[in-house]
Amino acid sequence: DTAVSQTPKYLVTQMGNDKSIKCEQNLGHDTMYWYKQDSKKFLKIMFSYNNKELIINETVPNRFSPKSPDKAHLNLHINSLELGDSAVYFCASTRGTTSYNEQFFGPGTRLTVL
Amino acid sequence: DQQVKQNSPSLSVQEGRISILNCDYTNSMFDYFLWYKKYPAEGPTFLISISSIKDKNEDGRFTVFLNKSAKHLSLHIVPSQPGDSAVYFCAASLDYGGATNKLIFGTGTLLAVQP
């Protein structure tokens, strides 16, 4: 009965490959997010969707494409992976669109690009 | 440009004593501040928040203080327990437009509570 789940937990791949990370929340929340935590431990927002609509799109290379098939799912597809994409990616969800509501985070996906 | 800073990467405290974690920010437009706690191999979990119009918010052993003139906030944990050992992230909420806002996180402080 995990609230926010991500798959896979670990992902090791070669440069140039395309990969996807999946996220699902069973909290009935309207808004979902993708965050990236880099090697310097900065946790930065990448995207946010509210009821399948993109509402936050930070300065992220267009190799990253989020997709929300329904409000319980937000997937992240990354094309042509680069070394600098290595990071931990966290999915999160919240009620409403204001981020000062408590955000619930998934356990993270550690992506390593070789 | 790092708008939210946690200048102490780590802090060690004895069980039962007070833990004080600090956070500084640069943007006066932040409207809410939040603290999240993170255990290894888990996602961050929400701990406590404070509106920019308040100067204190308390929840059990956790109290957050906000000093707007100094652009500084702190999290006090009293008494500290070994289970409090984790990384603590300070975050600030910024209006993104369209009734949406986003969180900007600091780099975290690793708290170790010694038994």
Side-chain angles (χ1 to χ4, degrees):
Chain A
D1 58 343
T2 305
V4 182
S5 58
Q6 297 179 226
T7 53
K9 193 166 177 65
Y10 300 95
L11 185 53
V12 181
T13 188
Q14 300 286 329
M15 279 177 55
N17 284 349
D18 303 337
K19 291 293 179 185
S20 292
I21 306 172
K22 296 185 176 182
C23 178
E24 176 181 1
Q25 55 93 5
N26 62 6
L27 298 165
H29 288 164
D30 302 315
T31 303
M32 296 183 72
Y33 306 83
W34 277 112
Y35 286 88
K36 177 182 179 182
Q37 186 179 32
D38 61 22
S39 58
K40 295 183 179 178
K41 306 302 181 187
F42 286 107
L43 188 62
K44 291 184 180 177
I45 188 168
M46 301 172 68
F47 303 102
S48 177
Y49 272 74
N50 176 257
N51 285 321
K52 302 194 296 176
E53 180 184 347
L54 182 66
I55 57 171
I56 293 178
N57 186 359
E58 290 291 88
T59 306
V60 176
N62 58 15
R63 299 181 294 103
F64 290 78
S65 53
K67 285 188 171 54
S68 182
D70 55 60
K71 74 172 192 176
H73 295 84
L74 180 61
N75 304 323
L76 183 65
H77 188 76
I78 315 170
N79 290 327
S80 303
L81 278 155
E82 300 178 356
L83 293 176
D85 299 332
S86 296
V88 181
Y89 292 84
F90 290 98
C91 176
S93 72
T94 193
R95 179 176 43 86
T97 58
T98 51
S99 58
Y100 46 78
N101 290 331
E102 177 181 354
Q103 289 190 18
F104 291 77
F105 282 80
T109 296
R110 181 174 293 277
L111 171 65
T112 303
V113 182
L114 303 175
Chain B
D1 178 25
Q2 198 178 338
Q3 300 185 67
V4 178
K5 300 177 186 178
Q6 294 177 256
N7 293 318
S8 298
S10 63
L11 175 68
S12 182
V13 171
Q14 288 292 321
E15 181 178 5
R17 306 294 287 267
I18 185 171
S19 295
I20 300 176
L21 297 108
N22 294 304
C23 179
D24 297 297
Y25 63 94
T26 58
N27 192 335
S28 58
M29 300 302 292
F30 290 140
D31 55 1
Y32 257 84
F33 300 90
L34 305 90
W35 285 93
Y36 279 79
K37 179 169 81 171
K38 183 183 181 305
Y39 293 118
E42 294 183 11
T45 55
F46 172 78
L47 197 56
I48 191 169
S49 65
I50 187 169
S51 165
S52 61
I53 62 173
K54 301 280 181 72
D55 55 18
K56 178 182 175 182
N57 188 26
E58 191 172 353
D59 184 2
R61 296 186 297 114
F62 303 91
T63 303
V64 57
F65 295 92
L66 176 61
N67 182 336
K68 284 188 70 175
S69 60
K71 293 190 173 67
H72 176 84
L73 67 154
S74 60
L75 174 68
H76 292 211
I77 306 174
V78 181
S80 300
Q81 300 173 353
D84 296 328
S85 298
V87 176
Y88 289 78
F89 288 97
C90 172
S93 175
L94 187 65
D95 180 38
Y96 193 82
T100 300
N101 47 8
K102 67 176 183 179
L103 289 183
I104 297 175
F105 283 83
T107 51
T109 296
L110 174 61
L111 173 65
V113 180
Q114 309 296 335

